[in-house]
């Protein structure tokens, strides 16, 4: 039984709006999954249901084969919410001490400090006097305080500077190496591509793609072969082949779009058009993302 | 059990670090006590009785304030800062959380009572029998329950500013109209008859009776219990309504 989280036909609707629409997926132990999607795609709502903060309108969420609100589930998860929360009146060290004692096997304080980059100064500061960056570090430490098996972050790097961001991802990799299961949401493609081994792409509350970054790229974005050719030469013959989806010129190069780039190469030589500097262009995740999410904006 | 202790400990630390608490619940009542028993001549027929009476008034005033304001505003703060949401994701159970809040609040009250009683003993040599000290202290501790219930009601408000403003007004109205600042007897008849039904008057009167060597009146106890029931039901109703949305 390696299944840690499962959502089955989960839907959440607010008064007039369906925020999450019939979402089904499961996560196994040790996976690092990104929930990727533009603002308003339903990431926070989905995470809130996973954490038991919101009740699904329909469908079921199970964590470690239990309901999200059960104590034994809570002991195994750690989380960093999109809105950073602090407990006014206490110093960082005190808050961490308090939260650690909620869990049966908390992480040692030193390890917590090491992992999150909290400084001695941070530890002595009262929660209400923390800067944005310090709050984020505290929030990160709170997520790890109970030494959780599953960590869930909602847009963790928003508001972090480059240094803290790098440190954050380093720690995430470290946690992943320890076999922890990690879910994070983001609207940065680069982040999802770099840090996750699986991406769940959300659009308008539904999952529109689910796979490794590479799978998603190859499935969604078109591949093409590009080359330089004498402008005088006619490319008409190429159009006759049904494998080719589109041909266009950009920056002095000709782009031939097709799912079968091997066949395109064959055709180029077969037609003897004198193509030079031939390159195979793999779709970028960026483009796939734009493609998938752009129609949402048009619809509005 | 360790969780409960830690939770209590930190709840108490938080209150003691709160400047508003220290000012409104300790400094103000003691200052008022000094002024109205030493500086202003109140022409009280029995000076010693007035000094004991007013010491009870000010202690009740202090505990009533921290029940409503400290608890209420802290609840709003925790919710508006997202802390309550975070706590819901941790394994801390609602029961332990609630119990620790109440326990922490009671320890704080006990502390306020002790400090103000000692201040009274030092400032005016107020001397009561040991039984009277203990009984009046206990009365004030238990009598705060309806006000803690008001505190949880205030705690359901959305904004800290609203909660602070409204609780301040309720606090002052209850204190003045309930005869905690000035005895009800010197107020107009109308005010007196209204005041006798307020929770603050009944809270105070129990303690006043004790320092006169009597027991709190049954009416005081019943009215406070009735208020407690009403506020708890109201608080349950509001919570249910908020959750439904
Ligand atoms: N409490 C709510 N009431 C009404 N609509 C909501 C509520 N929470 C979220 N929504 C709507 O649901 C959609 C998804 O929101 P959200 O899950 O926050 O998206 P994301 O986190 O991906 O930006 C948005 O259109 C948002 O306006
Ligand atoms: Mg969000």
């Amino acid at each position: 039984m390696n299944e840690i989280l499962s959502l089955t036909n989960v839907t959440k609707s607010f008064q007039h709006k369906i925020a999450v629409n019939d979402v089904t997926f499961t996560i196994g132990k040790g996976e690092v999954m990104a929930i990727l999607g533009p603002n308003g795609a339903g990431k926070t709502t989905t995470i809130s249901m996973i954490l038991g903060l919101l009740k699904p309108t329909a469908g079921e969420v199970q964590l470690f084969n239990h309901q999200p609100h059960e104590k034994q589930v809570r002991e195994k998860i750690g989380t960093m919410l999109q809105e950073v929360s602090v407990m006014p009146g206490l110093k960082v060290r005190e808050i961490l001490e308090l939260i650690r004692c909620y869990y049966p096997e908390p992480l040692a304080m030193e390890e917590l400090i090491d992992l999150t980059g909290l400084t001695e100064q941070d530890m002595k500061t009262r929660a209400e006097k923390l800067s944005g960056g310090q709050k984020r570090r505290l929030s990160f430490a709170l997520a790890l305080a109970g030494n959780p098996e599953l960590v869930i972050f909602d847009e963790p790097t928003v508001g972090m500077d480059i240094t803290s961001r790098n440190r954050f991802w380093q720690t995430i990799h470290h946690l992943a190496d320890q076999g922890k299961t990690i879910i994070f949401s983001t609207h940065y493609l680069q982040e999802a591509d770099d840090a996750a081994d699986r991406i769940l792409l959300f659009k308008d509350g539904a999952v529109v793609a689910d796979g490794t970054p590479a799978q998603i790229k190859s499935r969604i974005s078109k591949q093409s072969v590009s080359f330089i050719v004498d402008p005088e030469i006619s490319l008409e013959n190429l159009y006759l082949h049904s494998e080719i989806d589109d041909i266009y010129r950009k920056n002095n190069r000709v782009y031939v779009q097709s799912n079968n780039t091997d066949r395109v190469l064959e055709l180029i030589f077969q037609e003897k058009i004198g193509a030079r500097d031939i390159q195979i262009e793999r779709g970028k995740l960026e483009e796939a993302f734009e493609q998938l999410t752009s129609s949402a904006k048009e619809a509005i | 059990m360790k969780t409960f202790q830690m939770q209590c400990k930190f709840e108490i630390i938080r209150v003691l670090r709160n400047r508003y608490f220290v000012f409104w619940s300790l400094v103000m009542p003691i200052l008022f006590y000094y002024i109205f028993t030493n500086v202003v001549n109140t022409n009280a027929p029995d000076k010693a009785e007035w000094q004991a009476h007013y010491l009870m008034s000010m202690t009740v005033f202090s505990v009533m304030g921290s029940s409503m304001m400290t608890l209420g505003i802290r609840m709003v703060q925790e919710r508006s800062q997202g802390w309550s949401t975070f706590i819901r994701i941790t394994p801390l159970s609602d029961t332990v959380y609630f119990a620790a809040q109440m326990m922490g609040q009671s320890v704080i009250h006990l502390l306020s009572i002790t400090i103000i009683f000692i201040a009274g003993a030092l400032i005016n040599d107020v001397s009561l029998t040991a039984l009277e000290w203990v009984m009046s202290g206990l009365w004030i501790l238990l009598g705060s329950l309806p006000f803690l219930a008001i505190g949880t009601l205030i705690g359901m408000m959305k904004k800290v500013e609203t909660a602070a403003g409204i609780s301040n007004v309720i606090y002052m109205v209850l204190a003045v109209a309930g005869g905690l600042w000035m005895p009800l007897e010197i107020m107009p008849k109308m005010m007196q008859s209204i005041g006798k039904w307020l929770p603050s008057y009944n809270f105070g009167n129990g303690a006043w009776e004790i320092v006169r060597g009597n027991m709190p009146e049954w009416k005081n106890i019943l009215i406070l219990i009735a208020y407690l029931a009403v506020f708890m039901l109201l608080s349950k109703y509001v919570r249910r309504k908020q959750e439904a949305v």
Side-chain angles (χ1 to χ4, degrees):
Chain A
M1 272 316 299
N2 269 337
E3 192 177 295
I4 286 201
L5 166 69
S6 77
L7 275 77
T8 319
N9 303 113
V10 171
T11 295
K12 177 74 195 179
S13 41
F14 296 107
Q15 293 90 328
H16 301 291
K17 161 123 201 137
I18 297 178
V20 172
N21 193 358
D22 197 20
V23 166
T24 299
F25 65 91
T26 62
I27 294 180
K29 187 166 162 44
E31 279 192 78
V32 179
M33 190 181 83
I35 296 182
L36 175 63
N39 281 329
K43 305 183 293 293
T44 300
T45 309
T46 305
I47 287 175
S48 301
M49 287 190 286
I50 294 173
L51 295 172
L53 293 173
L54 282 178
K55 263 210 187 90
T57 314
E60 198 188 20
V61 179
Q62 283 219 320
L63 281 152
F64 303 97
N65 295 313
H66 290 278
Q67 300 288 313
H69 62 261
E70 287 179 51
K71 189 168 182 216
Q72 47 190 336
V73 170
R74 302 227 177 279
E75 285 172 350
K76 290 185 205 155
I77 60 177
T79 193
M80 193 163 146
L81 296 169
Q82 189 166 5
E83 286 187 11
V84 179
S85 45
V86 296
M87 189 189 217
L90 292 183
K91 296 174 186 165
V92 169
R93 179 182 294 279
E94 292 167 336
I95 297 180
L96 289 173
E97 245 174 68
L98 178 63
I99 298 300
R100 282 177 66 245
C101 88
Y102 296 170
Y103 295 87
E105 288 161 48
L107 217 54
M109 193 66 102
E110 289 73 39
E111 203 173 346
L112 215 47
I113 294 172
D114 264 1
L115 284 173
T116 54
L118 279 164
T119 63
E120 204 41 52
Q121 193 54 46
D122 294 347
M123 298 297 279
K124 281 188 269 181
T125 312
R126 286 220 207 146
E128 64 269 30
K129 298 205 174 99
L130 294 172
S131 70
Q134 287 176 312
K135 272 190 198 165
R136 278 272 158 199
R137 286 201 282 278
L138 168 59
S139 201
F140 188 23
L142 288 174
L144 303 182
N147 197 12
E149 283 177 42
L150 168 65
V151 217
I152 303 178
F153 302 101
D154 195 2
E155 311 237 4
T157 56
V158 171
M160 280 188 189
D161 59 26
I162 299 281
T163 327
S164 351
R165 204 172 277 203
N166 289 339
R167 187 181 187 108
F168 175 80
W169 290 120
Q170 247 173 26
T171 307
I172 293 298
H173 285 302
H174 177 74
L175 294 172
D177 291 343
Q178 290 181 349
K180 310 247 184 237
T181 311
I182 294 157
I183 301 175
F184 67 93
S185 77
T186 179
H187 58 259
Y188 300 123
L189 307 156
Q190 198 58 49
E191 264 183 12
D193 195 7
D194 290 348
D197 46 42
R198 178 175 164 199
I199 294 178
L200 209 58
L201 190 53
F202 265 71
K203 182 188 142 193
D204 297 339
V207 176
V208 288
D210 177 358
T212 63
Q215 276 170 348
I216 289 195
K217 279 188 271 192
S218 70
R219 218 194 84 199
I220 305 157
S221 65
K222 297 221 171 71
Q223 297 176 20
S224 58
V225 176
S226 76
F227 49 84
I228 298 174
V229 72
D230 187 344
E232 311 284 277
I233 301 237
S234 156
L235 299 174
E236 249 166 61
N237 281 346
L238 285 181
Y239 280 102
L240 301 176
H241 298 280
S242 59
E243 294 94 333
I244 292 175
D245 299 330
D246 195 14
I247 302 175
Y248 57 91
R249 288 174 193 268
K250 198 167 96 185
N251 303 333
N252 286 329
R253 293 182 73 83
V254 174
Y255 289 79
V256 180
Q257 218 170 53
S258 166
N259 281 331
N260 189 349
T261 44
D262 295 343
R263 179 79 184 123
V264 175
L265 288 175
E266 229 173 88
L267 291 171
I268 289 170
F269 291 113
Q270 201 177 304
E271 300 291 342
K272 296 199 173 60
I273 53 177
R276 310 189 307 271
D277 189 18
I278 300 171
Q279 285 176 13
I280 295 177
E281 315 266 346
R282 294 227 157 257
K284 289 215 175 64
L285 194 57
E286 243 95 341
E287 286 159 16
F289 184 67
E290 299 271 310
Q291 259 177 17
L292 265 168
T293 54
S294 58
S295 56
K297 283 165 207 143
E298 282 157 25
I300 290 168
Chain B
M1 204 54 214
K2 183 165 165 267
T3 311
F4 178 71
Q5 280 169 6
M6 287 282 273
Q7 189 73 28
C8 288
K9 178 181 137 191
F10 283 117
E11 294 290 350
I12 294 165
I13 290 180
R14 286 173 67 196
V15 176
L16 293 180
R17 281 189 188 152
N18 181 342
R19 262 175 288 144
Y20 294 98
F21 165 79
V22 175
F23 182 76
W24 282 103
S25 300
L26 298 176
V27 177
M28 276 283 286
I30 293 175
L31 200 69
F32 263 56
Y33 181 67
Y34 180 76
I35 292 173
F36 283 97
T37 54
N38 285 292
V39 181
V40 179
N41 188 359
T42 47
N43 292 323
D46 181 342
K47 198 148 192 240
E49 193 191 284
W50 167 245
Q51 286 172 346
H53 176 97
Y54 206 62
L55 184 63
M56 291 304 129
S57 304
M58 284 300 107
T59 316
V60 163
F61 175 65
S62 157
V63 170
M64 187 174 98
S66 66
S67 301
M68 298 194 313
M69 315 251 300
T70 312
L71 181 68
I73 294 175
R74 197 178 49 192
M75 281 170 69
V76 181
Q77 234 176 16
E78 287 189 2
R79 196 148 26 80
S80 63
Q81 308 220 356
W83 185 254
S84 318
T85 313
F86 178 78
I87 288 292
R88 278 172 63 199
I89 301 166
T90 68
L92 181 68
S93 78
D94 290 351
T95 324
V96 171
Y97 183 61
F98 184 74
Q101 289 231 322
M102 289 302 142
M103 187 66 189
Q105 201 70 39
S106 300
V107 171
I108 288 292
H109 291 167
L110 203 58
L111 189 78
S112 306
I113 292 169
T114 312
I115 291 178
I116 298 174
F117 278 7
I118 289 175
L122 292 179
I123 294 173
N124 287 327
D125 276 331
V126 172
S127 64
L128 302 175
T129 64
L131 188 71
E132 282 170 346
W133 282 123
V134 172
M135 283 295 287
S136 54
L138 271 179
W139 169 262
I140 295 173
L141 202 58
L142 288 176
S144 67
L145 282 173
F147 302 94
L148 285 171
I150 298 181
T152 57
L153 266 175
I154 289 167
M156 286 170 191
M157 295 178 184
K158 292 238 154 53
K159 282 174 137 173
V160 175
E161 293 77 27
T162 336
I166 291 180
S167 59
N168 232 317
V169 171
I170 298 177
Y171 181 29
M172 289 308 146
V173 168
L174 281 180
V176 173
L180 298 183
W181 281 8
M182 297 291 145
L184 268 193
E185 288 74 42
I186 64 166
M187 291 189 197
K189 264 267 158 335
M190 240 294 269
M191 293 282 285
Q192 285 191 33
S193 40
I194 297 175
K196 294 227 156 104
W197 289 98
L198 290 177
S200 45
Y201 171 79
N202 288 282
F203 189 17
N205 197 51
W208 296 325
E209 289 297 328
I210 291 172
V211 296
R212 279 193 200 98
N214 308 326
M215 286 304 277
E217 293 169 24
W218 273 109
K219 209 179 124 198
N220 299 146
I221 299 175
L222 291 178
I223 289 180
L224 286 177
I225 290 177
Y227 272 112
L228 175 63
V230 168
F231 293 136
M232 276 174 63
L233 284 176
L234 204 60
S235 145
K236 216 170 192 165
Y237 171 77
V238 175
R239 173 161 317 158
R240 190 159 307 158
K241 247 187 117 170
Q242 281 179 346
E243 273 171 5
V245 176

